[in-house]
């Protein structure tokens, strides 16, 4: 997919963010057209949140070009923020206010008249399924409810772009699916979504296009399926062996599939036809104790690109 | 105006607690008047400068109430805005400027100062402790005192990440000022070093102005000088607080 940079709602060239000696974002180019759901993937410390903060106009770029909605975040921050919705990584709702008051007071920051604010709060509570909690305080709500309320708050100004920093981190599966479903509906309404995540299933579910960041740089860019085709094989065979170490087995599999990766507990065999590759494994007299043939996922791409070393 | 929207947010929260807060705003001065007027006052036969002791300390108590409310509202709530509830970060994500976030917070602090001081003034009037038609001017003076102490305190609260420093602030600033800045006795009775510390404190200037207003007597120092000195605290405090807020909210 080609994107003309002049039509982009978000346009970055050589964007950098330094904190003293530390470079958090090291020269990235991004173009996000209207209506797209765009993801920033990467391990902790990859520069995702720093990038999001610059796009949210609360952090000045150290170098490079950044244009949001055609405006300069350094000089037109409030004008840009008037058209953004921000759902931060950690909820910053007021626990002492009611669910509805959190929305109506926030709406006032956008100069929305009180009557309109109340109407919009009711619509949004309906949208995130919190209508029956409208009058209760935020404090006792579950994590999923708070997250939905934060998303509702980000929509109170009917934003053109919604920024979501790890929107489902810490939520249980039901709550995650509800959030995804609401975000998908926003996307259908034509809202441009920008999200960071380290959940690959989330990126596959929601993103039309994404970039994988590592060490402040973009290491890959494309649609989820494109990235899988480019950086992985169509299928992956996961092999478990009772006694032998995966590394020893890997040596015996030269020429089978495209490549192998030995993990402490299992061997990954990347191949376009998993069943055929498995047949070859068995022809070589190897008898795995457990076998799983599956399609490649974005997680395979992610681990391939950013490594398996733990980053904290 | 963005700061009005921020003030409105603080008021929505206050709506839940204002009854208790207003009640205690009246209760505290009432108890103080009884204790000092009837209790301590009975031992201070001569009064001070020809004024009954109770009437003499009332303006000081009003000013020190302004100080305490201002400092209370400028400490934990501000720290929480950055550290716990993180309200300020949600505000700066909206089309508000640092000025709006800070201005709205200051507006709320001053409103709390005004309510508490007005309650004290009303109780004092009921006890016949106000001697001058200038007494209502006290309500403007407490706003000045409030801003003069709240703004540097807000700057301090915006610079720390743990509330252990706040208890220290009350021990080294609020309590000594309350005791030695001319609230309970004239600073002239202090040895020179302490007297000069009292002169440096914003509270003494506020107390002297309030006393002048409620008793209708000339201040111990130039009224213009007092006002200018407090204005300097306000101006420097604002610059400092704005810089701290900016640094913490926008990087």
């Amino acid at each position: 997919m080609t994107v003309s940079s002049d039509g982009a709602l978000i346009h970055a060239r050589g964007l950098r963010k330094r904190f003293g000696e530390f470079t958090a974002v090291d020269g990235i180019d991004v173009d996000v057209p209207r209506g797209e759901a765009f993801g920033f993937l990467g391990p902790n410390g990859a520069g995702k949140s720093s990038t999001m903060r610059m796009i949210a106009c609360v952090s000045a770029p150290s170098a490079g070009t950044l244009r949001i909605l055609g405006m300069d975040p350094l000089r037109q921050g409030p004008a840009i923020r008037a058209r953004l919705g921000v759902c931060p990584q950690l909820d910053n709702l007021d626990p002492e206010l009611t669910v509805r008051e959190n929305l109506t007071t926030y709406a006032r920051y956008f100069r929305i008249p009180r009557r309109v604010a109340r109407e919009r709060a009711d619509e949004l509570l309906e949208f995130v399924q919190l209508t029956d909690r409208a009058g209760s305080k935020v404090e006792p709500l579950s994590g999923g409810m708070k997250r939905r309320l934060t998303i509702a708050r980000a929509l109170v100004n009917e934003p053109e772009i919604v920024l979501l920093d790890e929107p489902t981190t810490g939520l249980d599966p039901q709550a995650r699916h509800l959030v995804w479903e609401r975000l998908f509906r926003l996307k259908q309404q034509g809202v441009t979504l920008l999200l960071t995540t380290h959940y690959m299933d989330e990126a596959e579910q929601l993103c039309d296009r994404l970039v994988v960041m590592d060490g402040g740089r973009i290491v890959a860019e494309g649609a989820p399926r494109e990235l899988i085709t480019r950086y992985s094989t169509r299928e992956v065979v996961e092999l478990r062996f009772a006694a032998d170490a995966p590394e020893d087995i890997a040596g015996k599999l030269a020429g089978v599939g495209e490549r192998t990766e030995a993990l402490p507990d299992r061997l990954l065999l990347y191949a376009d036809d998993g069943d055929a590759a498995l047949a070859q494994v068995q022809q070589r007299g190897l008898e795995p104790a457990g076998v799983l043939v599956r399609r490649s996922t974005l997680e395979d791409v992610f681990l391939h690109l950013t490594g398996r070393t733990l980053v904290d | 105006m963005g700061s009005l929207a921020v003030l409105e947010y603080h008021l929505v929260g206050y709506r839940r607690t204002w009854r208790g807060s207003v009640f205690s705003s009246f209760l505290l001065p009432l108890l103080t008047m009884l204790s000092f007027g009837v209790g301590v006052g009975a031992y201070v036969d001569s009064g001070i400068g020809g004024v009954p002791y109770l009437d003499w300390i009332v303006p000081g108590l009003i000013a020190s109430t302004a100080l305490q409310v201002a400092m209370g509202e400028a400490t934990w709530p501000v720290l929480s805005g950055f550290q716990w509830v993180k309200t300020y970060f949600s505000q700066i994500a909206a089309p508000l400027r640092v000025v709006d976030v800070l201005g709205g917070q200051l507006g709320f602090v001053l409103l709390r100062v005004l309510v508490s001081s007005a309650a004290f003034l009303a109780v004092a009037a009921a006890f016949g402790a106000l001697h001058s038609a200038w007494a209502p001017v006290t309500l403007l003076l407490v706003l000045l005192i409030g801003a003069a102490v709240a703004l540097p305190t807000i700057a301090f609260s915006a610079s720390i990440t743990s509330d252990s420093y706040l208890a220290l602030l009350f021990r080294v600033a609020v309590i000594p000022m309350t005791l030695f800045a001319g609230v309970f006795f004239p600073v002239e009775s202090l040895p020179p070093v302490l007297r000069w510390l009292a002169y440096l404190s914003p509270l003494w200037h506020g107390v002297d102005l309030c006393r002048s207003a409620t008793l209708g007597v000339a201040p111990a120092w130039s009224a213009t000088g007092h006002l200018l000195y407090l204005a300097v605290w306000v101006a420097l405090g604002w610059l400092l607080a704005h810089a701290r807020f900016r640094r913490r909210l926008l990087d």
Side-chain angles (χ1 to χ4, degrees):
Chain A
M1 187 169 57
T2 52
V3 175
S4 76
S5 60
D6 21 291
L9 289 197
I10 294 157
H11 169 76
R13 283 294 173 276
L15 185 62
R16 279 194 166 72
K17 183 69 192 182
R18 276 185 225 97
F19 297 100
E21 291 293 290
F22 174 68
T23 302
V25 180
D26 195 6
I28 61 168
D29 299 343
V30 173
D31 282 297
V32 182
R34 187 177 290 276
E36 190 171 68
F38 187 90
F40 289 95
L41 269 71
N44 289 334
K48 308 185 299 284
S49 292
S50 297
T51 304
M52 285 293 252
R53 283 176 52 74
M54 287 192 277
I55 296 172
C57 307
V58 293
S59 173
S62 308
T65 311
L66 180 61
R67 290 287 174 279
I68 319 286
L69 296 156
M71 291 184 275
D72 176 2
L74 277 181
R75 285 179 293 133
Q76 291 155 292
I80 299 170
R81 296 201 297 264
R83 292 159 67 185
L84 299 181
V86 178
C87 177
Q89 197 175 332
L90 299 170
D91 294 316
N92 51 25
L93 301 161
D94 190 314
E96 295 297 316
L97 297 192
T98 67
V99 168
R100 187 190 279 112
E101 284 167 346
N102 263 282
L103 298 183
T104 50
T105 54
Y106 204 73
R108 300 289 293 145
Y109 302 158
F110 295 85
R111 297 163 181 247
I112 296 169
R114 287 187 191 83
R115 188 184 51 79
V116 180
R118 281 193 297 273
E119 285 167 10
R120 208 168 282 172
D122 289 340
E123 286 164 25
L124 286 170
L125 290 178
E126 190 79 35
F127 179 69
V128 296
Q129 299 182 14
L130 284 172
T131 304
D132 51 338
R133 303 304 292 264
S136 59
K137 276 197 189 182
V138 166
E139 177 102 71
L141 298 188
S142 71
M145 288 175 170
K146 283 182 184 159
R147 186 37 59 109
R148 268 142 59 202
L149 181 56
T150 306
I151 291 172
R153 194 185 64 180
L155 300 175
V156 84
N157 57 326
E158 300 182 322
E160 290 161 66
I161 306 173
V162 178
L163 310 180
L164 302 129
D165 200 353
E166 299 187 12
T168 65
T169 297
L171 302 189
D172 65 32
Q174 286 80 2
R176 293 182 76 198
H177 280 273
L178 182 56
V179 167
W180 285 347
E181 193 236 318
R182 297 294 113 164
L183 294 179
F184 187 73
R185 274 183 46 186
L186 282 180
K187 193 172 124 183
Q188 285 179 317
Q189 289 165 18
V191 177
T192 306
L193 300 181
L194 239 74
L195 61 127
T196 72
T197 183
H198 38 228
Y199 293 128
M200 299 305 119
D201 50 347
E202 182 159 286
E204 283 192 82
Q205 287 260 353
L206 289 174
C207 297
D208 299 317
R209 214 156 52 89
L210 52 90
V211 289
V212 179
M213 289 185 76
D214 197 24
R217 295 168 183 274
I218 290 176
V219 293
E221 174 178 357
R225 289 285 1 142
E226 268 172 36
L227 289 173
I228 293 170
T229 318
R230 202 179 321 149
Y231 294 100
S232 191
T233 50
R234 206 175 66 86
E235 293 186 323
V236 181
V237 187
E238 297 197 7
L239 302 167
R240 284 169 198 275
F241 292 90
D244 307 278
E247 302 96 75
D248 303 337
I249 304 286
K252 300 178 188 165
L253 288 178
V256 182
E258 279 192 22
R259 63 189 169 91
T260 56
E261 188 179 3
L263 301 182
D265 61 332
R266 63 196 194 279
L267 186 77
L268 301 185
L269 178 57
Y270 294 86
D272 282 323
D273 185 341
D275 288 324
L278 180 60
Q280 283 179 282
V281 170
Q282 282 155 344
Q283 276 163 19
R284 295 192 183 192
L286 297 167
E287 284 303 326
V291 173
L292 172 68
V293 179
R294 59 168 177 81
R295 283 170 69 92
S296 264
T297 63
L298 212 44
E299 190 139 340
D300 297 308
V301 175
F302 184 83
L303 292 173
H304 177 58
L305 290 172
T306 63
R308 288 187 187 267
T309 322
L310 193 62
V311 224
D312 262 320
Chain B
M1 272 283 283
S3 17
L4 285 182
V6 174
L7 178 61
E8 189 176 327
Y9 154 78
H10 290 292
L11 289 175
V12 169
Y14 188 52
R15 201 160 63 187
R16 224 170 291 289
T17 54
W18 73 273
R19 282 182 200 85
S21 140
V22 168
F23 176 73
S24 66
S25 299
F26 277 99
L27 190 68
L28 199 69
L30 196 64
L31 294 176
T32 317
M33 302 293 274
L34 288 172
S35 150
F36 280 93
V38 182
V40 181
Y43 293 90
V44 191
D45 299 331
S46 55
I48 298 176
V51 181
Y53 184 62
L54 177 70
D55 302 4
W56 193 86
I57 63 165
V58 155
L61 291 172
I62 292 175
S64 77
T65 300
L67 168 89
Q68 288 184 21
V69 173
M71 299 273 288
E73 291 291 333
T75 42
W76 279 271
V78 173
L79 181 60
S80 170
F82 285 111
Q83 211 63 29
W84 302 323
V85 177
K86 299 179 189 291
T87 314
Y88 299 139
F89 294 100
S90 76
Q91 289 170 341
I92 205 70
L96 297 171
R97 297 158 304 161
V98 173
V99 182
D100 301 320
V101 175
L102 177 59
Q105 179 68 66
L106 178 67
F108 181 67
V109 172
L110 294 183
L111 198 84
R112 290 273 295 107
V113 166
L114 191 66
V115 168
S116 302
S117 308
F120 211 129
L121 198 66
V123 172
F127 277 75
L130 309 179
H131 297 192
S132 162
W134 284 95
V137 173
T138 313
L139 293 179
L140 295 176
L141 296 173
V142 293
L143 290 180
L144 185 62
I145 300 166
V149 297
L151 282 164
T153 311
I154 288 174
F156 178 73
S157 305
S159 315
I160 57 176
T161 51
S162 148
D163 67 346
S164 49
Y165 295 99
L166 294 182
L168 190 71
L169 184 69
F170 274 75
R171 259 173 249 143
V172 302
V174 178
I175 296 173
M177 265 200 274
T178 309
L179 291 177
F180 299 108
V183 174
F184 298 103
F185 55 87
V187 294
E188 286 68 33
S189 345
L190 290 168
V193 176
L194 282 179
R195 197 189 311 160
W196 277 100
L197 282 177
Y199 289 154
L200 284 178
S201 79
L203 184 61
W204 176 71
H205 298 267
V207 168
D208 199 40
L209 285 171
C210 287
R211 187 161 287 138
S212 182
T214 66
L215 299 180
V217 297
W221 197 53
S222 142
T224 316
H226 282 320
L227 292 172
L228 282 176
Y229 186 71
L230 290 172
V232 167
W233 275 77
V234 173
L236 290 180
W238 175 271
L239 290 178
L240 218 55
H242 189 271
R244 300 311 308 189
F245 264 55
R246 201 188 148 73
R247 185 172 184 165
R248 199 98 178 246
L249 292 176
L250 304 172
D251 58 53

